[in-house]
């Protein structure tokens, strides 16, 4: 084995290895396994956790300064399986004091009985009424974050050269597309290509559905009822197909568009091969920085009322109903202070800095001084807000049938009949791969993954880094849990890999017990920490093949104790052990490692299908401050 980074081995031989029977750690040591990374300083502050799927560092920093009595902790999931994780968390009522949820995820699970009614709070008046999704009784459980833009992009320079006037309604838009088509330039083209991570056929169909249905509160209520499984009319979906058919009739949608990736379409817009195409403000900025031409937004247009569609609601925020339990008065008051800050223009601007949108959603918020927005101030100020619908329950139908519709092989009536059958019978059953006897903590889930890796690689020990609060991710770390009940394929992927198309590869090596102990003393590291050659604080590993105790606040050399092998025998300093871990977990070139030949996803799937019944190991790791 090659020489490892000096800091990893400074602790060699500093610990006495003794055999102990470690008990359940969290209560005895007063360490919440799911909140690893929370500082123990300023314990007199009120701690408010916010479960989010994007880091809110700018907002959190400002909140810390504004509210010195509150410590805002981000329980942040940073993987791409955000929908799956959101659904799992909500279904198990497993989220913090505050919850941040992406608009398209709201209908996935009924949250109304888990969130506080905010209609009696003062801050909902900061928003236009059609931004707030009140129920039939006027209850408001979610307030919006900043607004995003997703519109048509057009080449302003090309338009001026050809004296093409920017349309003001649907009829003018259709006529312009046909006019441009006759010049040999494609008037309008959007992406209908199915990538590995997204079906753009369903995405574009959902955009048409948004244009014609979800610009009104009634349409949003219809969509929420549909997604909760209620029997509702599918006529709004039929209207979206009619809109698509109209675009097909004028040559704005063609069969060959299903083979054009999104980036290729943006490139065609840059090269003047396409005059109008869908995109967001970042795409406009990229086009304007890389081309001599000037590109601007043009609103989408609705077939049903002719108006432009412009503003997209990205994220919403709610408060956990548990805050209203007796004894939580201080936490409830602090949580409402944070919610009020979210609903202020200042708070919304900070969330914009954190990447949640392009401008505040509050009434009379200042429109950003951005050339790309110069021509659409009127549309922004008119306040037509939507969320793009999600038709996941019909994916078994729409994944194939929208393409068949574009090719002229199926009618909308045939497709909607199939959707109605799904709505009546429910989605196809999902195969159960195993059963969890109880909920796992994040640390216990990490140990489960380590067990799967050790079994797949036939090594003595496996190590897995654990993601922590405030958005800290070691290499291969994912902040997610396995919950009690049936385990399905979606659970495996959301737990085992942060990226949809890139499963984590695994490696194995050999080292002495002395060297292994030093790795445990140094802890897990992120890519940034590896590049810097130092860590800001200690990050423990989840392990398989070992039992041990961590002392989180001690100096290196005193962080790990009571290390034994799984069978209870002592870890021998001079003995050689085989170790498996995620590729990249340690700096490249520091070990003579070899690929293990299996991804973590495949290893976890194999382990679950083999074991069938799984229970969290509550005795493996003892956590101490």
């Amino acid at each position: 084995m090659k020489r490892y980074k000096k800091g990893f081995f400074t602790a060699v031989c500093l610990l006495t290895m003794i055999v102990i029977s470690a008990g359940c750690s969290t209560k005895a040591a007063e360490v919440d396994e799911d909140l690893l990374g929370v500082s123990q300083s300023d314990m007199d502050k009120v701690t408010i956790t916010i479960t989010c799927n994007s880091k809110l560092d700018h907002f959190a920093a400002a909140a810390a300064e504004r509210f010195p009595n509150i410590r805002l902790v981000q329980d942040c999931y940073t993987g791409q399986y955000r929908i799956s994780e959101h659904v799992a968390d909500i279904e198990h009522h497993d989220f913090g004091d505050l919850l941040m949820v992406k608009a398209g995820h709201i209908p996935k699970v009924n949250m109304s009985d888990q969130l506080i009614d905010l209609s009696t709070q003062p801050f909902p008046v900061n928003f236009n009424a059609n931004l707030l999704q009140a129920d039939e009784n006027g209850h408001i459980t979610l307030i919006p974050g900043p607004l995003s833009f997703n519109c048509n992009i057009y080449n302003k320079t090309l338009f001026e050269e050809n004296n093409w006037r920017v349309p003001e309604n649907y009829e003018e838009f259709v006529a312009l597309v046909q006019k441009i088509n006759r010049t040999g330039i494609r008037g309008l083209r959007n992406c209908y290509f199915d990538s590995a991570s997204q079906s753009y056929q369903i995405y574009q169909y959902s955009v048409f559905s948004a244009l014609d249905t979800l610009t009104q509160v009634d349409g949003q209520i219809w969509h929420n009822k549909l997604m909760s499984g209620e029997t509702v009319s599918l006529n709004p979906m039929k209207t979206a197909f009619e809109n698509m058919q109209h675009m097909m009739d004028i040559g704005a949608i063609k069969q060959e568009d299903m083979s054009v990736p999104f980036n290729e379409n943006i490139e065609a817009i840059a090269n003047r091969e396409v005059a109008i195409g869908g995109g967001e403000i970042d795409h406009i900025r990229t086009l304007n920085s890389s081309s001599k031409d000037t590109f601007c937004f043009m609103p989408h247009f609705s077939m049903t009322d002719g108006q432009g569609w412009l503003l997209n609601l990205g994220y919403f925020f709610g408060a956990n109903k548990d805050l209203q339990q007796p004894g939580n008065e201080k936490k409830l008051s602090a949580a409402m202070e944070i919610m009020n800050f979210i609903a202020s223009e200042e708070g919304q601007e900070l969330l914009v800095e954190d990447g949640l949108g392009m401008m505040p959603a509050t009434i009379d918020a200042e429109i950003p001084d951005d050339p790309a927005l110069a021509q659409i101030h009127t549309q922004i100020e008119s306040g037509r807000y939507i969320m793009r619908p999600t038709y996941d329950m019909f994916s078994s139908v729409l994944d194939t049938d929208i393409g068949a519709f574009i090719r002229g092989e199926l009618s909308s009536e045939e497709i909607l009949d199939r959707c109605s059958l799904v709505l009546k019978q429910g989605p196809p059953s999902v195969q159960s791969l195993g059963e969890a006897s109880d909920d796992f903590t994040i640390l216990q889930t990490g140990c489960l993954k380590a067990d799967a890796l050790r079994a797949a690689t036939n090594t003595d020990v496996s190590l897995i880094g654990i993601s922590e609060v405030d958005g800290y991710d070691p290499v291969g770390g994912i902040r997610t849990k396995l919950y009690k009940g049936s385990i399905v394929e979606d659970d495996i992927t959301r737990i085992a890999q942060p990226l949809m198309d890139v499963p984590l590869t695994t490696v194995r090596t050999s080292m002495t017990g002395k060297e292994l102990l030093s790795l445990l003393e140094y802890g897990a590291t992120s890519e940034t920490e590896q590049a810097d050659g130092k860590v800001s604080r200690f990050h423990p590993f989840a392990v398989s093949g070992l039992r041990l105790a961590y002392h989180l606040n001690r100096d290196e050399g005193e962080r790990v104790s009571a290390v034994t092998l799984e069978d209870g025998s002592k870890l021998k300093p001079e003995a050689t052990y085989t170790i498996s871990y995620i590729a990249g977990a340690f700096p490249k070139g520091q070990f003579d490692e070899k690929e293990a030949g299996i991804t973590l996803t495949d290893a976890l799937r194999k382990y679950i299908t083999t074991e069938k019944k799984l229970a969290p190991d509550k005795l493996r790791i003892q956590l101490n401050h």
Side-chain angles (χ1 to χ4, degrees), residues 27-42:
K27 291 183 179 179
E30 298 182 349
V31 177
D32 188 334
E33 293 182 8
D34 290 330
L35 293 181
L36 284 175
V38 173
S39 172
Q40 295 306 300
S41 62
D42 301 324

Side-chain angles (χ1 to χ4, degrees), residues 433-596:
L433 304 178
E435 185 91 11
S437 65
D438 203 349
D439 292 340
F440 285 61
T441 65
I442 289 173
L443 180 59
Q444 291 162 358
T445 303
C447 288
L448 171 66
K449 290 187 286 186
D451 287 341
L453 178 56
R454 184 164 71 99
T457 57
N458 194 29
T459 53
D460 298 315
V461 174
S462 288
L463 306 177
I464 297 284
I466 302 298
S467 293
E468 302 175 7
V469 297
D470 294 331
Y472 174 81
D473 290 312
V475 174
I478 310 166
R479 192 163 177 76
T480 189
K481 305 175 189 175
L482 181 66
Y483 291 106
K484 181 179 179 179
S486 178
I487 305 169
V488 299
E489 181 66 28
D490 194 51
D491 294 316
I492 292 173
T493 50
R494 74 179 175 84
I495 288 171
Q497 59 186 73
L499 303 178
M500 288 185 174
D501 305 325
V502 188
L504 296 170
T505 57
T506 62
V507 295
R508 53 179 291 156
T509 191
S510 298
M511 65 182 68
T512 65
K514 183 189 304 183
E515 292 164 338
L516 173 58
L517 184 59
S518 290
L519 293 185
L520 295 170
E521 278 284 335
Y522 193 78
T525 53
S526 66
E527 291 182 2
T528 300
E529 287 170 331
Q530 289 182 17
D532 294 343
K534 60 181 180 180
V535 295
S536 58
R537 51 186 166 80
F538 174 57
H539 310 289
F541 281 107
V543 299
S544 178
L546 298 174
R547 293 183 183 275
L548 53 83
Y550 284 119
H551 306 273
L552 303 180
N553 293 336
R554 292 184 183 177
D555 295 332
E556 187 177 355
E558 299 178 346
R559 293 168 175 165
V560 181
S561 67
V563 183
T564 67
L565 297 178
E566 187 177 48
D567 61 5
S569 62
K570 293 181 179 181
L571 183 71
K572 299 177 181 178
E574 303 306 322
T576 299
Y577 300 92
T578 53
I579 314 295
S580 53
Y581 48 89
I582 301 300
F586 305 113
K588 187 175 182 180
Q590 299 299 326
F591 289 101
D592 294 319
E593 59 190 27
K594 295 182 179 180
E595 290 190 9

Side-chain angles (χ1 to χ4, degrees), residues 266-286:
I266 292 293
E267 185 177 345
I269 294 173
N271 294 334
R272 294 187 165 200
E273 298 167 16
V274 174
I276 308 169
E280 299 180 356
I281 195 166
D282 288 345
H283 300 123
I284 284 186
R285 289 168 177 162
T286 298

Side-chain angles (χ1 to χ4, degrees), residues 391-413:
Y391 294 124
D392 290 1
M393 65 168 57
F394 301 138
S395 60
S396 60
V397 176
L398 299 180
D399 274 340
T400 57
D401 288 9
I402 289 178
F405 177 77
I406 294 174
R407 293 190 297 270
E409 299 166 358
L410 285 175
S411 67
S412 61
E413 288 79 8

